[in-house]
Amino acid sequence: MFAGALAGLTTIAVMMLMAWAGVTFDARRDLEKQTGALLDVWLANIDRGNQLYADLEALPQDDCGSAHLNKLNTLVFKDNHITNIWFFPDGGWRAACSSSFGRFEPAHDFGPPEKANLFKDGRQTWYRVPFDRAEGVDKVTVIKKGRYGVSFFLTGNLATAADDLFFVSNVNAPYEEIYHANGNSELLAQFSSSFGPVFGHVYAHVCGPGETRLCYLTMIPASRVLAENGLLLAIFAAFSLVTGFLVCQRVRRAVRMNNSPAGRVRRAIRNGGKGFEPHFQPIVTLETMKCEGCEVLARFEDAQGKLFPDEFITIIQDQNLTWEFTEIIIAKALKQLIPLLAGRPGFKVGVNFFQADLDDEQIQTVIQSPVFRTATDAQISLNCEILETGIGTGTSIAKSLEYLRSIGCRIAIDDFGTGYSNLAQIKALNPDVVKIDKMFIDDLSTTPDSARGTFFNAILGIADAHAMKVCAEGVETFEQLASLRNREVDYAQGYYFAKPMPIRDFSLYLLEQTLKDKMPTKGRLPKLSPVPSN
């Protein structure tokens, strides 16, 4: 009985702590979002003000007359972030007029301003100072430089913040105020000694860029979080044993899902492709036997091990992450290839595209990706490879392929012969390259007169008649290579030349080929001269 009671009390205590941690961390996240949004607006307004002040000082009118006020209102209308422009005739503290409230009789005295130490240009600020010259407005914030001050929209709902502090700090001393802009200075000391939202008040602390930066610190008390979440916490207390069991099961299930192949793939794509690496398989021009292109093939490995392409490709399709994945692989491949291909303009880089990314709804997103511009700027010929099984009727796909051609891509039909397309469909798509599937290549050296051999010869004839290139996939033997060259096939790839390899090995492959090309084919090598000694 005692053990059961202890287990029950322990479960209740643990669950209540979890519940409290959940509501407090939620409160902190919301507060950080609101606080960060407000600080971002301030920083954006500061940058915007640099040009705005210069434009204001250049105004020919400076008398608060109708023309002057109309011009100020025009500037406010053109900038969605400005709420009001104030005019200080002598550059002091007294505003003679503003775009929103017109002329002040007498001039409105703001009192001594605070110097904005974040700048070196003499800006001054009045932050949330009282204002009684207009209905519905009790406080205003003004940033002034020279004779003009500007009020900006303040976005972000900070109604939940019970206390706040605007201050300037140094990145090396984040809990020290270099300059107090506004608010409760003691809040900074309280925040620096807090142990997180679970064991005290909830704080949000965000800072701008730079070594000396503007920071905003906000706080809501724990009592308010408790009051706002009392019903939820009561439910947790009443059903702690059941909830504890359910949460335990859910966490275990979530961990399993996160560590499942699908979870690993989703996480990798969400993290910019971490775990995915491009491998490169050479494509050889059979006339010259030189590598003038490659196919990019994705490989995956994370801390939990490898996933084979058949596994992660299926997951990517099921999760509708096809273009996110393809864009990541292209970007990674280009980043690795560009330094390597600096002296090889027109090098062909083949990338497999999913059928889903060539649909009418998706193709506009695809062609606007910056990876295509990157390839063009690097003089790399990007080949869009689509599976024959993804051609369908060929009607909608043809339009998408034209879009890709318009941005500099070449089109290749991959694994041709494995689907149900007829030759008329292939001619209608007018690809630049037709890649013949490995099963047809396997028959060339053994049964060249088979049905597959006849089909292969038909493809060669159509390709030649329509200026299409042909690439043989899966070449593994010298006999296959010889047969392909006798048939005047344009390109080939396969294990006979090289397996797909990481960029380091691919760079060595290209270097070795370059050295072979530069080696003399006859005659003797020049005699080496001894290095003179000092």
Side-chain angles (χ1 to χ4, degrees), residues 193-214:
S193 60
S194 68
F195 293 96
V198 178
F199 304 103
H201 299 317
V202 177
Y203 295 90
H205 179 223
V206 293
C207 293
E211 184 173 350
T212 301
R213 70 268 176 88
L214 180 65

Side-chain angles (χ1 to χ4, degrees), residues 163-165 184-191 203 217-219:
D163 208 353
D164 65 356
L165 171 66
N184 180 13
S185 292
E186 295 180 0
L187 197 63
L188 190 58
Q190 297 170 13
F191 169 65
Y203 295 90
L217 175 63
T218 56
M219 182 274 289

Side-chain angles (χ1 to χ4, degrees), residues 35-48 81 152-156:
T35 304
L38 182 57
L39 182 65
D40 288 343
V41 170
W42 272 97
L43 294 173
N45 290 342
I46 287 170
D47 291 337
R48 189 178 295 106
H81 296 83
F152 296 94
F153 277 111
L154 302 181
T155 60

Side-chain angles (χ1 to χ4, degrees), residues 87 137 156 168 172 292-293 358 364 371 527:
F87 179 57
V137 180
V168 176
N172 298 317
E292 296 180 3
L358 301 177
Q364 292 300 324
V371 296
K527 185 176 181 180

